[in-house]
Amino acid sequence: MGEGGNTQVTFSSLKGFKDILPRETPVWQRVETVARGLLEAYGFEEIRTPALEQTELFKRGIGEETDIVSKEMYSLEDSRGRGLTLRPEATAGVVRAYIQHRLYEAYPIQKLYTIGPMFRHERPQKGRFRQFHQINAECFGDEGPRSDADIIVLAMALFDALHLTEVSLKLNSLGCPDCRPTYREQLKNHLAMKTDRLCEDCQRRSQYNPLRVFDCKAEPCREALKGAPTIPDFLCGACKDHFEAVRSFLDGVHLAYDLDGHLVRGLDYYNRTTFEIQTGLLGAQNAVAGGGRYDGLVRLLGGPDHPAMGFAVGMERLTALIQEQETLEDRETDLFVVSLGQEADLRAFPWIRALRKQGWRVEVDYAGRGLKSQMKKAGRLAASKVLILGEEELRSQKAVLRNMKTGEQTTLDMAEMVPVLQQVLTS
Ligand code: HAM
């Protein structure tokens, strides 16, 4: 740009990276508050881990053949040539922290949750973003079926607490290192007969990691999987018992679920119980939450041999579902103060401050417009009460309070304004 030039530069957010605007944040805050309350009731404590980790952590943890690691990671090299990656999910980082800080030493069962942004370089579409947010819960140190059921019940309770009814629970077991190899061989044999119909990726996967073929969206690969053996038919005795016990706990609380023998999830670390919470309301991106048991991951990442089980909810999908079901009302303004003229503005200023300090949502009009336009603004902000303070009121030392729902008007003595308003707003 030459001297004196005035080129207009405009910026916009990156594709798949979304601003969450003020009209949306009340829903997000509500979800977070409900989730935190519920997680804490289930004995979870919050952990916050960094967004950037060593690339190797995810390669090892999630698996090199997964779509997440092979195609979707935001990776970079720092000035010393170290491979770093923006976390595509939270589990690997939480496990890293669990090991690094020896969290298991304090108490044998550790329940940790985290809420924050994740990054995956996927093709953006409805419900799928490149930066998205998860509410993620992990329970370490117990291998019994009751903790599986507890985690699943907790995940479903979140939907319940938000009055989201249009969801269904899918359940599967992926077996263990004892029984999965037999299943893998059977699946390999099934796919070997259809190799020429598989996409290039799946031809390779069918050799090295055949379960990952289930993640492929290509129609010919989906077709090739029709009639494929399902893993629950190959479970060893111990895995079968475990799965039966998980189901008994769920049945005991009348939690409905569908068995889905092809639910393998997109990450390699799972064993035994896996689950997904799906909805029919959001189009192709139908998974709102997913999780499962991952008994081998802590050891795989260099820690002790501790079992674990967890899940994550996608917040963009959850909030979209809330909007779809319209269960949340816009938050009202508790009080709108119409002050007419500088003296009235000055008089009302400390009252407004005091009420806001007590948590009331109080609004004013900075533009100093007339009564009519200020009343209009109060209506737009859904104010339930309006306090009017003009010349006449200043003279009589009595302000007018109007109940916007009933239209009723009363006068309030200015001498005791804050406690009186506090009382009126509480009633
Ligand atoms: P995941 O199934 O990959 O599992 O992701 C969990 C949830 O995150 C999905 O059900 C979905 O709602 C949301 N999600 C995933 N990718 C996107 C995206 N690109 N855009 C919007 N939302 C998305 C995991 O991440 C595991 N770490 C869950 C877990 C925790 N397993 C055990 N512990």
Side-chain angles (χ1 to χ4, degrees):
M1 188 172 72
E3 210 178 320
N6 189 21
T7 308
Q8 199 72 33
V9 183
T10 56
F11 296 102
S12 51
S13 60
L14 302 172
K15 197 173 162 198
F17 289 68
K18 184 168 95 79
D19 295 311
I20 300 164
L21 298 172
R23 68 180 137 79
E24 302 167 280
T25 47
V27 179
W28 284 70
Q29 288 168 356
R30 162 95 191 275
V31 165
E32 285 170 19
T33 306
V34 170
R36 283 178 200 281
L38 208 55
L39 284 156
E40 276 157 31
Y42 275 73
F44 282 76
E45 293 174 299
E46 187 176 10
I47 184 168
R48 301 186 190 195
T49 63
L52 198 64
E53 300 265 7
Q54 286 178 48
T55 301
E56 196 52 33
L57 172 71
F58 302 117
K59 281 194 177 167
R60 241 173 190 257
I62 301 169
E64 303 239 16
E65 279 292 337
T66 59
D67 277 349
I68 297 178
V69 170
S70 64
K71 299 181 188 159
E72 297 168 1
M73 295 212 296
Y74 279 94
S75 297
L76 57 111
E77 253 185 29
D78 72 2
S79 56
R80 294 206 203 145
R82 283 180 301 202
L84 307 176
T85 291
L86 279 172
R87 62 179 179 189
E89 57 113 49
T91 310
V94 173
V95 172
R96 192 239 346 108
Y98 174 78
I99 299 167
Q100 180 178 340
H101 305 285
R102 298 174 165 271
L103 297 180
Y104 44 86
E105 282 180 352
Y107 191 67
I109 308 285
Q110 284 285 323
K111 298 186 198 175
L112 306 171
Y113 79 89
T114 192
I115 300 178
M118 311 293 151
F119 305 86
R120 295 184 194 174
H121 194 276
E122 294 188 79
R123 198 165 48 79
Q125 54 173 247
K126 186 176 175 210
R128 193 161 74 191
F129 303 93
R130 290 179 170 169
Q131 175 176 328
F132 60 97
H133 299 75
Q134 287 185 344
I135 299 167
N136 186 91
E138 316 288 0
C139 171
F140 294 96
D142 183 65
E143 60 182 348
R146 191 151 58 139
S147 50
D148 300 38
D150 239 1
I151 290 282
I152 296 171
V153 167
L154 163 60
M156 289 300 282
L158 178 60
F159 290 84
D160 220 28
L162 294 165
H163 312 294
L164 296 170
T165 47
E166 300 288 313
V167 289
S168 60
L169 173 63
K170 309 284 171 197
L171 195 64
N172 194 22
S173 172
L174 294 183
C176 68
D178 283 340
C179 51
R180 203 177 315 163
T182 321
Y183 172 68
R184 274 174 52 127
E185 279 315 302
Q186 293 291 325
L187 183 59
K188 244 177 162 172
N189 294 343
H190 173 89
L191 293 170
M193 296 185 292
K194 303 168 188 258
T195 313
D196 50 344
R197 279 182 259 162
L198 299 177
C199 73
E200 215 173 292
D201 278 348
C202 287
Q203 289 191 1
R204 194 187 63 251
R205 289 163 166 164
S206 66
Q207 290 291 314
Y208 302 110
N209 194 347
L211 262 74
R212 295 279 65 93
V213 178
F214 283 108
D215 301 337
C216 188
K217 301 282 179 291
E219 203 39 54
C221 301
R222 299 193 89 103
E223 196 59 36
L225 282 168
K226 285 206 175 128
T230 60
I231 202 159
D233 294 332
F234 295 85
L235 296 182
C236 62
C239 285
K240 217 180 254 173
D241 290 348
H242 184 97
F243 197 41
E244 283 305 315
V246 174
R247 293 180 59 186
S248 303
F249 280 115
L250 299 181
D251 295 341
V253 292
H254 307 291
L255 196 63
Y257 53 84
D258 305 311
L259 294 175
D260 179 352
H262 286 176
L263 182 75
V264 299
R265 311 268 302 120
L267 307 97
D268 275 351
Y269 49 62
Y270 293 114
N271 67 300
R272 292 198 166 164
T273 316
T274 53
F275 71 99
E276 229 164 65
I277 298 173
Q278 300 177 355
T279 177
L281 294 182
L282 298 180
Q285 303 310 313
N286 65 351
V288 200
R293 182 161 279 289
Y294 54 93
D295 292 334
L297 185 60
V298 178
R299 197 167 56 157
L300 183 72
L301 295 179
D305 194 6
H306 286 184
M309 165 88 192
F311 76 96
V313 185
M315 291 186 75
E316 281 73 7
R317 293 181 196 174
L318 186 64
T319 50
L321 202 53
I322 290 171
Q323 260 127 25
E324 204 67 41
Q325 293 208 304
E326 287 177 343
T327 55
L328 290 181
E329 286 171 17
D330 286 342
R331 186 173 166 192
E332 288 180 348
T333 298
D334 298 310
L335 181 72
F336 188 94
V337 178
V338 173
S339 53
L340 302 162
Q342 200 184 10
E343 198 186 333
D345 291 349
L346 273 170
R347 196 66 199 273
F349 196 69
W351 304 338
I352 294 165
R353 176 171 178 256
L355 290 169
R356 284 175 173 162
K357 210 167 158 185
Q358 290 165 359
W360 297 106
R361 182 168 188 157
V362 185
E363 277 294 349
V364 291
D365 179 51
Y366 288 135
R369 287 174 295 192
L371 177 66
K372 222 166 146 193
S373 9
Q374 292 205 37
M375 289 303 285
K376 230 185 198 164
K377 183 166 176 187
R380 238 190 6 258
L381 292 173
S384 48
K385 300 203 169 59
V386 173
L387 185 76
I388 303 164
L389 193 63
E391 261 175 49
E392 178 57 41
E393 286 74 22
L394 285 171
R395 213 171 302 124
S396 64
Q397 289 296 296
K398 285 188 183 359
V400 174
L401 185 80
R402 179 190 252 264
N403 183 322
M404 297 293 274
K405 288 193 182 126
T406 60
E408 195 188 333
Q409 292 204 160
T410 43
T411 50
L412 305 181
D413 209 320
M414 285 189 203
E416 294 290 328
M417 193 52 100
V418 174
V420 171
L421 277 175
Q422 170 80 7
Q423 212 172 5
V424 168
L425 292 174
T426 313
S427 63

